[in-house]
Amino acid sequence: MSIENEHRLRFRDAMASLSAAVNIITTDGPAGRRGITATAVCSVTDTPPTLMVCINRNSVVNSALQENRHMCVNILNHKQELIARHFAGMTKMSMEERFNWDIWQTGMLGQPLLKETLANLEGSIEKIQEIGTHYVYLIEIKQIIVRQEGHGLLYFKRDFHPVMDKSMEAVV
């Protein structure tokens, strides 16, 4: 194994130790409806509200995102692991089947919003940059829906894990 390849694998192992919220990124428009599970999502600024989303350049969702120019970041709750697995391609479910359940609503920008998430952040893609193997999208958020119910879902050490909100312990 080359030193470069070993370095890449060690970096991936290190990143597996970086806990990350689980999100489903969705888009709809002229290029069709698509979605993908993503953990490389973070806030950039609150003025204007902007998120950064990183997606591997090999993903089929990129062409739809780049043509549709809008997306929704659906922040999953602890009960939504199965849908995360579907959108991560871990099951045999087709893209069309993933959107056929009665768990979707349409946002003000026409994007698929997953019901019962912790939050839905719908916005327009303002900038796209290629960095290594990924596209980095900067999204200006136009609509924000936040729910108080539910606990978090994290990806850590290459597996999904629920995260309980301590303020809700008495409720559980």
Side-chain angles (χ1 to χ4, degrees), residues 6 10 16 24 27-28 34 45 61 77 82 97 99 105 116 129 141 147-148 152 154 156 162:
E6 182 179 335
R10 288 180 53 85
I24 294 180
T27 188
D28 199 358
R34 298 279 182 270
T45 181
V61 79
N77 74 45
L82 182 57
E97 290 172 310
F99 285 104
Q105 60 191 44
E116 299 180 15
Q129 186 169 353
I141 303 304
R147 293 172 191 80
Q148 298 305 315
L154 291 183
F156 174 71

Side-chain angles (χ1 to χ4, degrees), residues 22-24 36-37 76-94 97-98 101 103-104 114 153-154 159-161:
V22 181
N23 310 277
I24 294 180
I36 189 171
T37 299
L76 302 189
N77 74 45
H78 69 292
K79 295 180 180 178
Q80 295 175 312
E81 179 181 335
L82 182 57
I83 192 134
R85 289 181 179 280
H86 291 319
F87 276 86
M90 297 173 156
T91 66
K92 303 281 187 211
M93 188 159 294
S94 72
E97 290 172 310
R98 297 172 197 177
W101 297 308
I103 57 174
W104 299 98
L114 182 59
L153 182 64
L154 291 183
D159 201 3
F160 296 96
H161 302 276

